Amino acid sequence: MRHEIHLAGYGIRLEPVTTAHAEALQALTDDALWAGMTSPRPLDADAYAAHIDAQLQAPGTFAFVLLGDDGTVRGTTSFYEYSAAQRRIEVGSTWYGREFWGGRTNPAAKRLLFGHAFDELGVARVALRCDARNTRSAAAIQRLGAVPEGVLRSHRSSPDGSRGDTAYFSVLEAEWPDVRRGLDERLGELLDERPA
């Protein structure tokens, strides 16, 4: 879905993704990084542009490109399955180029997204999910302050046709002040330690 949400802070910017970002995003991917996604890995810029077009057509999906303050493309993330009536949203379809793993990129992006979801959209629940085999992503989600909710069995199809389980996590409105404080403290430490 096309949108005009622009978020910035902590050394990054989240801007609406467009097909103009396809080449830079595709260049950051590799087979291992893409493992666990439900769509085939785009192998060239045209294929990634088609992937972006599909995101832009999906109702309730707000896809972003993640940029450093210097304009460097770092990866992508999305809001999706937004229900204003039910006051819930999910954050996902997230990946970053390997050079941006382990620094402030992920906590900064989630701080901006959670802040917008709770403080601007007024949601009561932000959910996150990952392939249950992806222990690295599950650990990163929990470090953000999200609570594990369980595993949905045979919940997703892989591009090769196999079925996979999905691990679910959430942050609730009542938990947001503590999660925000934890992210702000973590980001303060990361900003003092290193630039990326």
Side-chain angles (χ1 to χ4, degrees):
M1 184 166 121
R2 297 189 187 278
H3 67 90
E4 289 301 323
I5 302 170
H6 299 261
L7 305 172
Y10 312 100
I12 65 162
R13 297 190 330 259
L14 294 173
E15 303 286 341
V17 72
T18 70
T19 55
H21 300 113
E23 185 173 358
L25 287 168
Q26 192 282 326
L28 292 173
T29 69
D30 59 51
D31 288 339
L33 185 146
W34 204 263
M37 300 288 193
T38 56
S39 60
R41 177 178 165 233
L43 297 178
D44 58 33
D46 288 341
Y48 206 100
H51 175 75
I52 291 170
D53 277 334
Q55 289 181 301
L56 297 176
Q57 300 305 316
T61 296
F62 306 85
F64 299 92
V65 63
L66 194 146
L67 306 166
D69 276 345
D70 63 357
T72 303
V73 172
R74 294 186 178 191
T76 185
T77 191
S78 298
F79 282 135
Y80 61 101
E81 295 195 14
Y82 174 49
S83 172
Q86 295 299 319
R87 298 182 59 217
R88 67 178 181 233
I89 201 164
E90 295 202 23
V91 172
S93 298
T94 301
W95 64 264
Y96 310 115
R98 291 181 183 279
E99 66 187 282
F100 306 110
W101 290 10
R104 71 173 182 253
T105 298
N106 189 51
K110 296 309 189 294
R111 173 61 177 87
L112 294 172
L113 291 165
F114 290 176
H116 188 78
F118 286 114
D119 302 334
E120 302 301 322
L121 299 178
V123 301
R125 168 190 168 84
V126 173
L128 304 97
R129 59 175 126 162
C130 67
D131 186 299
R133 297 167 292 191
N134 190 340
T135 56
R136 186 180 190 287
S137 287
I141 290 169
Q142 289 182 78
R143 275 194 307 277
L144 298 168
V147 175
E149 295 185 325
V151 174
L152 301 181
R153 299 176 305 144
S154 192
H155 182 246
R156 54 196 291 148
S157 289
S158 296
D160 66 4
S162 63
R163 301 290 303 171
D165 300 340
T166 300
Y168 256 95
F169 308 83
S170 68
V171 176
L172 304 182
E173 185 176 25
E175 299 163 344
W176 170 230
D178 286 338
V179 170
R180 178 176 53 219
R181 188 168 24 280
L183 286 170
D184 286 346
E185 289 172 3
R186 183 174 166 196
L187 285 163
E189 292 167 6
L190 289 169
L191 286 169
D192 289 342
E193 289 175 9
R194 55 183 155 162

